[in-house]
Amino acid sequence: MIRLASFLSPGDVRPRFGAAEGDTLRDLTAAHGPDWDMVRALRLTPAELRDFVAAGSMRLPLAHCHLLPPVPVPGKIFCVGKNSKVHRQELVREGMLKEDPQEPTGFVKLVETMVGEGARVVRPEGISTFDYEPELAFIVTRRAHRVPRERAREYVGAITVLNDLTAREIQKQEVVSGTKFWTSKNMPGFCPVGPYAVPLSEIADPYDLFLTCAVNGQQRLRVSTDEYIHRIEGIIAHFTRFMPFEAGDVIATGAPRGTAIGHPNAAELYLKPGDVCVAGLEGVMQLTTRIVAPGEA
């Protein structure tokens, strides 16, 4: 399976581009030059991409590289909300949801909240309900505007993982006030993404995977992506009626059931300083985030 990455090696001042294989990274920037990046490579045909990766003869130890989000600076991070029937029920029960939308809904996470693999993310002072939300996300590879459902996948090139970290008590306040999660989901580091982009051509069906999350080695959830209500075809067709997606944009498609808020012992499950949270797509990639106290980042 091709796993593409954006990374920094020791001494780098600008991101490089590579492909992870075992405990090494093929340095595709060294092989093809600095004009190549994630989005440009994802526009290649599957055969072209395989040849492109194979040409990367220089290998770097993966352990010596800092993995960035696959697209280090996307134009926007768009998140689909309320996209799991069971998670909707969890939110309603906790007073976090008042409506029952029949079409896709969305919000944005600010690009500056995005972090990569192994990031140390501060649980802000005064926040006690810090929740994890592993999500299947797609990377847009060409401008998408007024795209019909049947052509939607032509506009996305890869999948990745996005952990939509959320301060639930602030989110609840925003629900009451009618605002759209600007603060609860946009604190520093609240958007771990990656560590890889896996081309769609490498995935038989993105809706036949399992989203997972473990905290300190204990599995918290394992949910099939088949449970998503709205899939990428409907999401792109719906939102691009009026709002274009641009190349490099990341579309996260919603939290599954089983996040901390969905459990009766949620207070014990919310993330705390010292926790190691691993969100993933089973058999595809894992994204590690370390939770720290203020002053420890």
Side-chain angles (χ1 to χ4, degrees):
M1 180 181 289
I2 294 175
R3 293 178 173 89
L4 300 174
S6 296
F7 68 96
L8 294 170
S9 59
D12 285 340
V13 295
R14 60 176 292 182
R16 301 175 73 80
F17 175 55
E21 292 183 5
D23 59 0
T24 66
L25 269 173
R26 287 182 182 263
D27 189 339
L28 301 179
T29 297
H32 301 287
D35 291 338
W36 282 90
D37 61 9
M38 181 68 69
V39 173
R40 184 180 177 189
L42 287 173
R43 293 192 187 115
L44 298 172
T45 68
E48 289 171 338
L49 182 58
R50 289 195 171 278
D51 289 343
F52 181 86
V53 170
S57 57
M58 180 184 295
R59 293 176 182 253
L60 303 171
L62 186 58
H64 294 171
C65 298
H66 173 56
L67 296 178
L68 304 168
V71 180
V73 188
K76 58 182 169 289
I77 303 167
F78 189 84
C79 301
V80 178
K82 312 173 187 72
N83 201 16
S84 158
K85 290 181 180 178
V86 177
H87 186 53
R88 282 187 186 183
Q89 294 166 3
E90 294 169 345
L91 295 176
V92 168
R93 186 176 65 244
E94 297 300 321
M96 307 289 282
L97 181 62
K98 295 182 177 181
E99 69 277 10
D100 183 20
Q102 301 304 303
E103 59 184 28
T105 65
F107 59 93
V108 293
K109 288 187 83 104
L110 301 176
V111 172
E112 54 263 39
T113 68
M114 193 171 61
V115 293
E117 167 66 10
R120 295 164 64 86
V121 174
V122 172
R123 186 185 75 170
E125 187 171 354
I127 299 299
S128 60
T129 55
F130 189 20
D131 210 349
Y132 42 86
E133 291 193 357
E135 303 189 13
L136 171 67
F138 292 80
I139 296 173
V140 178
T141 51
R142 38 188 295 220
R143 191 172 197 267
H145 190 211
R146 303 188 66 81
V147 175
R149 178 185 295 263
E150 62 272 15
R151 295 192 58 199
R153 291 204 188 187
E154 298 175 23
Y155 294 80
V156 292
I159 61 171
T160 190
V161 171
L162 185 149
N163 192 354
D164 179 19
L165 297 175
T166 306
R168 294 296 189 192
E169 67 255 55
I170 306 300
Q171 185 184 24
K172 191 167 187 177
Q173 293 172 12
E174 291 177 315
V175 169
V176 171
S177 68
T179 58
K180 185 57 83 171
F181 311 156
W182 278 109
T183 302
S184 61
K185 291 175 176 286
N186 279 304
M187 300 181 197
F190 271 34
C191 190
V193 183
Y196 305 120
V198 174
L200 277 183
S201 58
E202 299 286 295
I203 303 294
D205 181 358
Y207 295 100
D208 187 24
L209 299 171
F210 281 92
L211 280 164
T212 61
C213 187
V215 177
N216 302 329
Q218 179 187 49
Q219 183 169 284
R220 294 287 180 84
L221 63 82
R222 180 178 182 268
V223 180
S224 173
T225 54
D226 185 53
E227 293 192 12
Y228 277 123
I229 300 167
H230 304 292
R231 303 195 173 190
I232 193 62
E233 294 85 357
I235 291 166
I236 287 180
H238 177 78
F239 288 106
T240 66
R241 293 176 303 168
F242 305 108
M243 180 196 77
F245 290 112
E246 304 291 348
D249 286 352
V250 176
I251 304 174
T253 55
R257 59 184 166 90
T259 61
I261 197 173
H263 295 274
N265 62 332
E268 302 170 18
L269 302 179
Y270 286 126
L271 296 170
K272 303 170 181 63
D275 285 348
V276 178
C277 180
V278 181
L281 285 166
E282 192 170 271
V284 180
M285 71 183 82
Q286 292 188 326
L287 173 64
T288 300
T289 305
R290 303 180 185 278
I291 310 303
V292 300
E296 295 182 349

